[in-house]
């Protein structure tokens, strides 16, 4: 099975990150990943329909915020927290801590 | 002449701020205000058509990022930097510093 494409963060613009996180569901996913580390995509099914969630995962992956790996029939997500912090210092932390 | 409405930041959600700043023109306006303090709206005319800019100013004002005051026929904008920092610690700085 084909692996997911993950962009190099050097070419990512901050506007893409801000757009991705301006959606409440995507922000919730990122906050949960920040708190819990790697998660199966299945744990986010309380947040919406599978097709909508797939779109959100893709948006988060394509802007460089998350990494998705396949394992058999399941997919697992992690935040690309360290790389994000190197690229946009302090940004992710200030967003996930915002109330 | 009617004064502009400015929201109380207590009710503002971080998603609204992120959405406002996910647009490259709005982000440029905010970066310039961060650097230069109060500016006449006229100084941003290099960024686009007047009607489009009015829309951007409104979006920035309604999410609480900027304050607009009228003075005769002109309008002047400032970033609500201190309030923003109290409400979303570190957020604005990490965004305007992002490259």
């Amino acid at each position: 099975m084909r692996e997911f494409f993950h962009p190099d963060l050097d070419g990512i613009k901050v506007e893409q990150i801000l757009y991705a996180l301006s959606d409440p569901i995507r922000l919730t996913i990122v906050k949960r990943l920040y708190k819990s580390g790697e998660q199966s995509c299945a744990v986010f099914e309380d947040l919406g329909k599978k097709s909508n969630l797939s779109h959100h995962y893709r948006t988060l992956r394509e802007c460089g915020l998350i990494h998705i790996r396949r394992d058999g029939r399941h997919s697992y997500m992690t935040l690309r927290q360290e790389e994000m912090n190197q690229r946009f210092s302090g940004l992710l932390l200030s967003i996930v801590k915002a109330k």
Side-chain angles (χ1 to χ4, degrees), chain A:
Chain A
M1 192 180 271
R2 204 161 60 85
E3 284 301 304
F4 291 109
F5 167 74
H6 294 93
D8 186 341
L9 290 200
D10 287 349
I12 295 291
K13 293 193 170 178
V14 70
E15 291 94 322
Q16 294 170 263
I17 304 294
L18 301 180
Y19 175 74
L21 295 176
S22 70
D23 177 274
I25 291 178
R26 291 196 290 266
L27 183 57
T28 301
I29 293 169
V30 164
K31 281 183 174 183
R32 289 199 199 167
L33 289 173
Y34 185 86
K35 206 173 158 189
S36 314
E38 187 175 69
Q39 295 287 329
S40 158
C41 292
V43 306
F44 298 109
E45 282 172 10
D46 59 310
L47 295 176
K49 279 188 203 164
K50 226 166 182 172
S51 58
N52 291 343
L53 288 176
S54 294
H55 167 74
H56 290 314
Y57 301 155
R58 185 178 174 166
T59 303
L60 290 171
R61 176 173 57 77
E62 288 184 345
C63 78
L65 272 162
I66 67 170
H67 184 273
I68 308 182
R69 70 177 179 88
R70 294 191 209 265
D71 188 0
R73 291 177 57 212
H74 298 283
S75 295
Y76 296 85
M77 293 192 281
T78 41
L79 259 188
R80 294 173 68 182
Q81 202 168 322
E82 253 182 62
E83 289 169 274
M84 197 51 66
N85 209 37
Q86 280 172 16
R87 180 74 183 83
F88 302 114
S89 175
L91 180 67
L92 192 58
L93 182 67
S94 68
I95 293 173
V96 298
K97 295 290 178 198
K99 277 169 190 158

